[in-house]
Amino acid sequence: MTLRHIAFSNLKRRKAKACFVLLGLLIGVSATVAFVSLVDVLTHDITHKLEMYGANILIIPKTEQLSLSYGGLSLGGVSFEMQELLEESLVRIGTIENAANIAAVGPMVLGAVESATTHLLLAGVAFEESAVLRPWWKIVGHSPHAEGALLGSEVSQLLNLSVGDFLALEEGARLEVTGILEHTGSQDDQLIFVPLKTAQKVLGKQGKISMVEVAALCAGCPVEEMVVQISEVLPAAKVMAIRQVVEGRMETLKHLKSFSYGLSILVMSVGALLVFVTMIGSVRERTSEFGILGAVGFRKGHIVRIVLLEAGIISVVAGVLGYLLGLAATQSLTPLFAQSHQVHVPWDPVLALSVLLVALLLGLGSSIYPAVLASNMDPNEALRAL
């Protein structure tokens, strides 16, 4: 009979003890898998939601201007020198080192226009980038064509215009209202949006840009480095990062990961302690058995290997079942945190192998002392206790 057969036979005869050890490791492994997987899923969910905030890098022309504003009340400014950004220079943004992290680049040209009744602010934008830069937009109608316009909700009410009506400007343009923005609560409600080329033509700013919005909200995007890189390729521009969005995201993810790792260590430690106590109790109950093994010629190394082999078998089973149970728990809990019912927790072979190795190390590590204790038992005293 080999040591392996002895270990399997002992596990079969002592099912209650084996199941107790298995339960201790199973709770630790499954909880760790659930914590880590949940954080990974929530990280992707948070990243996706933060991307809905749109641009997080703003590029404007350099200007020596003192802005006289306070608390949202603008009193104008004193401009000493004003430069325009050239549209052709924007291609340099795609040459920076972290260009792959850029989700969208949206040039915009702004200018004042006049209708028959009032002054208006015209904004030329790249509508093909709006889905990334302004995902909160809800349009009644559709985006404008070359001779069309998208009105903010307040503009449409002020001018009493609906989809299909025409807006005549003093600058000579006649624009068809193809869509109206639902109320956003932002300055977008007070603007007229037209295609970039149309606005440049109406405002007489062909090839010129007033500002550029850049969306680089992806996991791990080095936004501050990107700001420096864009500033180097566009020396005539002032590049700014919207720090609140970036720093808030990174801080949230950092806390989530730290919390999950801390809980994992705590639960695994409790599981290891449970294994240790159970194995100690099991060894003390099997005093006579180890005495007989020593009396028939088994060396101390053989007894140590038997105890560790039993712990190793239980640890492997706990690692496999714990990973599957942890995935199932993550699948069930994620909708509660991500507020989404279409959640798929992917199979992660690296995590599966990691928790299997951790379970094995914890199981064996917690059983070393009990195994040594069993091997040091005096056969004579053990047999005398029969």
Side-chain angles (χ1 to χ4, degrees):
M1 179 177 289
T2 63
L3 298 180
R4 179 165 51 90
H5 290 139
I6 295 175
F8 274 111
S9 298
N10 288 334
L11 292 176
K12 290 179 181 179
R13 286 188 292 107
R14 294 178 173 82
K15 294 184 179 66
K17 292 289 185 181
C19 289
F20 201 63
V21 175
L22 176 65
L23 182 62
L25 285 175
L26 186 63
I27 293 174
V29 172
S30 59
T32 299
V33 172
F35 292 149
V36 175
S37 299
L38 186 62
V39 168
D40 287 341
V41 173
L42 291 180
T43 297
H44 291 297
D45 183 68
I46 291 173
T47 301
H48 172 70
K49 289 179 178 178
L50 285 171
E51 286 176 351
M52 294 181 64
Y53 286 106
N56 66 325
I57 296 178
L58 188 64
I59 305 173
I60 60 176
K62 281 185 177 179
T63 177
E64 296 181 8
Q65 178 170 326
L66 301 177
S67 179
L68 306 180
S69 62
Y70 182 80
L73 177 63
S74 178
L75 304 177
V78 181
S79 179
F80 300 102
E81 182 179 356
M82 183 68 183
Q83 300 177 2
E84 294 280 359
L85 290 176
L86 297 180
E87 185 178 0
E88 60 185 21
S89 66
L90 300 186
V91 296
R92 302 175 194 167
I93 299 176
T95 65
I96 67 173
E97 181 179 351
N98 292 102
N101 290 333
I102 295 177
V105 177
M108 178 183 292
V109 62
L110 298 168
V113 293
E114 293 185 26
S115 68
T117 57
T118 186
H119 296 277
L120 301 168
L121 185 59
L122 186 71
V125 299
F127 283 96
E128 60 273 15
E129 304 291 350
S130 295
V132 177
L133 295 170
R134 299 176 180 82
W136 59 84
W137 272 10
K138 294 182 180 180
I139 302 176
V140 178
H142 58 82
S143 298
H145 46 72
E147 299 300 326
L150 173 66
L151 304 186
S153 58
E154 294 185 16
V155 174
S156 66
Q157 294 175 6
L158 178 65
L159 301 179
N160 194 25
L161 294 176
S162 302
V163 176
D165 294 339
F166 286 85
L167 170 63
L169 301 178
E170 294 295 330
E171 287 75 11
R174 189 170 184 269
L175 305 174
E176 180 186 1
V177 179
T178 62
I180 296 176
L181 275 180
E182 293 187 7
H183 184 69
T184 65
S186 67
Q187 193 173 359
D188 291 352
D189 297 333
Q190 305 169 9
L191 270 62
I192 301 174
F193 295 94
V194 297
L196 182 64
K197 297 299 182 183
T198 301
Q200 289 174 332
K201 180 180 178 181
V202 172
L203 299 173
K205 296 183 178 181
Q206 286 83 352
K208 296 182 179 180
I209 298 296
S210 302
M211 58 183 290
V212 183
E213 297 172 314
V214 179
L217 281 174
C218 55
C221 281
V223 177
E224 294 296 337
E225 295 180 15
M226 294 173 66
V227 168
V228 175
Q229 294 168 11
I230 296 175
S231 298
E232 291 175 351
V233 298
L234 296 177
K238 180 179 180 181
V239 186
M240 301 175 291
I242 303 177
R243 298 175 182 272
Q244 294 86 346
V245 176
V246 180
E247 293 178 357
R249 181 192 68 169
M250 299 307 295
E251 193 68 20
T252 300
L253 298 184
K254 179 181 178 181
H255 288 321
L256 279 174
K257 290 181 180 179
S258 300
F259 181 69
S260 67
Y261 293 151
L263 279 179
S264 299
I265 293 174
L266 177 62
V267 175
M268 292 298 282
S269 299
V270 173
L273 181 61
L274 184 59
V275 172
F276 175 78
V277 173
T278 305
M279 292 300 290
I280 284 286
S282 177
V283 166
R284 295 189 184 281
E285 291 176 2
R286 297 162 63 185
T287 301
S288 58
E289 175 187 332
F290 294 130
I292 294 174
L293 292 176
V296 299
F298 280 79
R299 294 190 296 271
K300 290 184 177 182
H302 293 147
I303 296 176
V304 170
R305 288 167 62 186
I306 290 174
V307 176
L308 293 183
L309 189 56
E310 293 175 9
I313 294 171
I314 296 175
S315 299
V316 171
V317 175
V320 175
L321 294 181
Y323 180 75
L324 298 177
L325 185 61
L327 283 186
T330 305
Q331 188 74 38
S332 302
L333 293 175
T334 301
L336 300 178
F337 294 93
Q339 299 180 347
S340 173
H341 297 285
Q342 297 179 350
V343 178
H344 173 66
V345 182
W347 166 269
D348 189 348
V350 175
L351 179 60
L353 182 60
S354 298
V355 296
L356 181 60
L357 291 176
V358 170
L360 191 58
L361 290 174
L362 283 179
L364 294 178
S366 303
S367 303
I368 290 177
Y369 177 74
V372 173
L373 183 64
S375 67
N376 288 331
M377 288 183 177
D378 188 349
N380 294 324
E381 294 182 4
L383 292 174
R384 199 176 295 122
L386 290 174

